[in-house]
Structure formats: structure tokens, C-alpha cells
């Protein structure tokens, strides 16, 4: 009987149920409450969602704009550093204006541009930090120039100079002529001042470290004491006028002095620059090593020296 009923149910099932297996039909049969006749076949599992489209690659960040030369560091540097640059330009005969730390004055920017042209830099009239270091280093190594009065001949304008610059060449020639005349007038006084200095230096050495030269030039007294302690003796002393002119306190001179020093069979030469305002005793006297060009130029600036020598 059971098998007959099963066959009848199969025959009566709708076409959709024919897809069910015999085991499922038998289960429905044995437990009718768990299965509704004519129920649709289970829905197929949902299709997998399509993979999201790849996100477009982020565009590369725009390249940072190229930075220009760094002029602000030097222009905004402390005043002593800016004054030193002007002193270096003066030492290299590029600048003759005031040492006031103003790197944006017309005279200073022109002199910087002239220096840059001569060294392969772009002539902007402003310095980058590396150019400022190069300028100061060059000035520190520059020898102190001694000019022979006989060589002070006014330079004629180049034959190839454009006609438009003839007036400037004439003005420069006239200026150099006037300077040569001023130096010729000042030379006897400058030479007398230098020889008086050497006389005092020799007297100090002869007195074994005693005398006005040591009192006036502390750096010289210190050098002499150190040389003596190291076993060196001072021999010949030779002066050469480095600069001479007028200051707010009177006539002033700077002289480069070479000292022959000996120790046993060794002989060397030492060099110092002496600067002073003429008086008795000398005023504002100071001594420098010959490579301290910036120190000598600062002394001249502080005294407002108007040179008759350069």
C-alpha cells in the first residue's frame, strides 16, 4: 500500500516537482508538514558580485618649483658679517664706499657684481652664502700691497674702448693723477713715521723687552715675549709704508714690518702690520699679523682714514 501511494504522489506532482529527487519526495511524504507540494526548487545561490573596477592610480604630486639662488641669508646676516664682506671687497680693490653693512647700496651691489663677473658667477650684485665665503677667503689670502710711487702712472684708456666711455676714462685718469700727486706730497711724512716706528721697535729689542713700543703695541710685546721664550732672537727689522693719510684724530700711518728671527742656525722672517695715529705718544696704536687684512681695514674704517697712499 505504501508503495502505491508513493507512485500516485509522483504522478500527481506538478512538473516543477519532477526535478526533485526521489529521496526528497519520500521525505515530504513521510512528513507532509515539512514540505509544501508544488514548491519551487531552491533558488540558485546569488552570483558573486562583480569585482569593483580598479581605482585610478593617484596622479603624481606636482613637482616642487625649482628654488632660486639663496640671497636672503647673506642680506639678512648680522651687521658685522655684512661689514666684513664690504671690507673684503675693499681689500680686493672692488669697493671704496663706507663700511656700513648696507649690502644693497648702489656702490656695494656694483662692486659685488664686478667681483662676480671676474669669478664666473652671475653678476646679480647679491651674494649667495657660498659666494660670500669665497669672497672672504680670497680677501684673507690677498697680500698687503705696497705701491711704488714711481709706478703711479695714470693709466690711459684702452685703444679699443668705445667712444662713449672716453669721458669716463678721462675722469679716471684725472683722479689717478690727483692721487699720485697727493701721495708724492705725503711720502716724506709717511716714510718719517715708519722709520720712527722702527727706531722704537729696535730700542725695545735692544732693551730686552722694555720701552714705549711695547706699551703702545701690546700685540708686538706679546709676540716678542713668546719668541724670546721659544729661544728666538730678533735681528734685522725692515719697514714698508702700507698706507698713510688723514683721520678725524690727525695723520695716521700703517706700516708692514718684517722681523728677521734666528734660532741657532735657523733663520726665519716674521711680519706684522703696525697702525697708529701720529702723536706723542702714538694714539690708537695697534699691531696685526700680516694676514689679518680684515683687521687692518677695520682699523682704518674706525679711524675714518682718508688715504693719500692708494
Amino acid at each position: 500500500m505504501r508503495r502505491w501511494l508513493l507512485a500516485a504522489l509522483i504522478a500527481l506532482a506538478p512538473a516543477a516537482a519532477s526535478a526533485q529527487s526521489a529521496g526528497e519526495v519520500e521525505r515530504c511524504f513521510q512528513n507532509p508538514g515539512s514540505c509544501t507540494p508544488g514548491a519551487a526548487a531552491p533558488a540558485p545561490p546569488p552570483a558573486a558580485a562583480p569585482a569593483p573596477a580598479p581605482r585610478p592610480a593617484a596622479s603624481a604630486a606636482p613637482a616642487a618649483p625649482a628654488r632660486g639662488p639663496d640671497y636672503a641669508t647673506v642680506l639678512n646676516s648680522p651687521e658685522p658679517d655684512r661689514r666684513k664682506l664690504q671690507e673684503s671687497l675693499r681689500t680686493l680693490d672692488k669697493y671704496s664706499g663706507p663700511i656700513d653693512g648696507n649690502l644693497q647700496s648702489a656702490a656695494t651691489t656694483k662692486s659685488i657684481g664686478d667681483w662676480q663677473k671676474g669669478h664666473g658667477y652671475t653678476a646679480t650684485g647679491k651674494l649667495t652664502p657660498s659666494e660670500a665665503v669665497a669672497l672672504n677667503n680670497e680677501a684673507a689670502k690677498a697680500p698687503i700691497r705696497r705701491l711704488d710711487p714711481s709706478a703711479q702712472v695714470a693709466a690711459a684708456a684702452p685703444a679699443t674702448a668705445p667712444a662713449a666711455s672716453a669721458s669716463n676714462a678721462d675722469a679716471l685718469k684725472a683722479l689717478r693723477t690727483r692721487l699720485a700727486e697727493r701721495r708724492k706730497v705725503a711720502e716724506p711724512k709717511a716714510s718719517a713715521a715708519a722709520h720712527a716706528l722702527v727706531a722704537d721697535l729696535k730700542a725695545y729689542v735692544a732693551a730686552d723687552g722694555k720701552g714705549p713700543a711695547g706699551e703702545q703695541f701690546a700685540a708686538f710685546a706679546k709676540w716678542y715675549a713668546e719668541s724670546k721664550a721659544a729661544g728666538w732672537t730678533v735681528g734685522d727689522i725692515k719697514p714698508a709704508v702700507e698706507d698713510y693719510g688723514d683721520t678725524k684724530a690727525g695723520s695716521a700711518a700703517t706700516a708692514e714690518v718684517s722681523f728677521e728671527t734666528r734660532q741657532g742656525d735657523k733663520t726665519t722672517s716674521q711680519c706684522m702690520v703696525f697702525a697708529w695715529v701720529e702723536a706723542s705718544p702714538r694714539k690708537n696704536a695697534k699691531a696685526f699679523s700680516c694676514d689679518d687684512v680684515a683687521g687692518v681695514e677695520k682699523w682704518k674704517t674706525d679711524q675714518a682714514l682718508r688715504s693719500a697712499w692708494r
Side-chain angles (χ1 to χ4, degrees), residues 205-247:
V205 172
D208 198 18
K210 296 178 183 179
E215 297 167 3
Q216 294 170 5
F217 301 100
F220 164 70
K222 182 175 181 292
W223 169 80
Y224 177 81
E226 291 175 349
S227 298
K228 179 181 175 182
W232 292 91
T233 58
V234 178
D236 196 17
I237 301 176
K238 295 180 179 179
V241 176
E242 194 270 337
D243 206 346
Y244 188 85
D246 297 324
T247 72

Side-chain angles (χ1 to χ4, degrees), residues 43 57 73 129 176 252 257 274:
T73 296
R176 289 180 172 172
V257 180
F274 293 79

Side-chain angles (χ1 to χ4, degrees), residues 53-77:
R55 298 174 67 180
S59 59
R67 294 181 59 187
D70 176 14
Y71 300 122
T73 296
V74 176
L75 290 174
N76 297 325
S77 60

Side-chain angles (χ1 to χ4, degrees), residues 166-242:
S167 59
N168 290 337
D170 291 342
L172 179 59
K173 180 180 179 180
L175 174 61
R176 289 180 172 172
T177 300
R178 289 196 301 272
L179 290 175
E181 291 172 351
R182 289 187 62 219
R183 176 167 176 168
K184 185 176 181 180
V185 171
E187 186 173 8
K189 296 179 182 178
S191 297
H195 283 91
L197 168 71
V198 170
D200 285 349
L201 297 177
K202 289 182 177 180
Y204 185 84
V205 172
D208 198 18
K210 296 178 183 179
E215 297 167 3
Q216 294 170 5
F217 301 100
F220 164 70
K222 182 175 181 292
W223 169 80
Y224 177 81
E226 291 175 349
S227 298
K228 179 181 175 182
W232 292 91
T233 58
V234 178
D236 196 17
I237 301 176
K238 295 180 179 179
V241 176
E242 194 270 337

Side-chain angles (χ1 to χ4, degrees), residues 9-299:
L9 285 171
I10 293 172
L12 292 174
S18 64
Q20 295 177 324
S21 66
E24 290 175 333
V25 173
E26 184 176 0
R27 177 179 58 77
C28 290
F29 172 75
Q30 292 176 348
N31 188 7
S34 65
C35 190
T36 302
R55 298 174 67 180
S59 59
R67 294 181 59 187
D70 176 14
Y71 300 122
T73 296
V74 176
L75 290 174
N76 297 325
S77 60
E79 182 177 340
D81 294 343
R82 289 182 273 121
R83 289 168 63 95
K84 180 177 177 59
L85 289 169
Q86 289 178 315
E87 291 167 357
S88 295
L89 289 166
R90 175 179 286 180
T91 298
L92 298 173
D93 289 335
K94 298 294 183 184
Y95 179 68
S96 58
I99 305 299
D100 55 7
N102 183 5
L103 298 183
Q104 300 184 68
S105 68
T108 304
T109 55
K110 181 182 183 305
S111 64
I112 290 173
D114 291 343
W115 178 83
Q116 289 172 322
K117 286 179 184 177
H119 292 74
Y121 298 117
T122 302
T124 61
K126 297 178 289 186
L127 293 165
T128 65
S130 60
E131 290 173 353
V133 170
L135 170 60
N136 284 335
N137 287 343
E138 181 183 354
K141 296 176 182 177
I144 296 176
R145 298 180 302 108
R146 296 195 294 272
L147 303 179
D148 181 359
S150 63
Q152 296 300 296
V153 180
T160 57
S165 65
S167 59
N168 290 337
D170 291 342
L172 179 59
K173 180 180 179 180
L175 174 61
R176 289 180 172 172
T177 300
R178 289 196 301 272
L179 290 175
E181 291 172 351
R182 289 187 62 219
R183 176 167 176 168
K184 185 176 181 180
V185 171
E187 186 173 8
K189 296 179 182 178
S191 297
H195 283 91
L197 168 71
V198 170
D200 285 349
L201 297 177
K202 289 182 177 180
Y204 185 84
V205 172
D208 198 18
K210 296 178 183 179
E215 297 167 3
Q216 294 170 5
F217 301 100
F220 164 70
K222 182 175 181 292
W223 169 80
Y224 177 81
E226 291 175 349
S227 298
K228 179 181 175 182
W232 292 91
T233 58
V234 178
D236 196 17
I237 301 176
K238 295 180 179 179
V241 176
E242 194 270 337
D243 206 346
Y244 188 85
D246 297 324
T247 72
K248 54 190 176 184
S251 297
T254 57
E256 180 180 317
V257 180
S258 63
F259 299 88
E260 181 187 80
T261 55
R262 296 188 295 269
Q263 185 185 60
D265 57 353
K266 297 179 182 177
T267 301
T268 64
S269 180
Q270 302 291 330
C271 178
M272 298 186 76
V273 174
F274 293 79
W276 70 95
V277 174
E278 286 281 82
S280 183
R282 298 177 180 91
K283 296 188 295 186
N284 303 334
K286 199 164 184 180
F288 306 86
S289 64
C290 279
D291 59 357
D292 188 6
V293 178
V296 176
E297 294 302 319
K298 183 178 185 304
W299 183 91

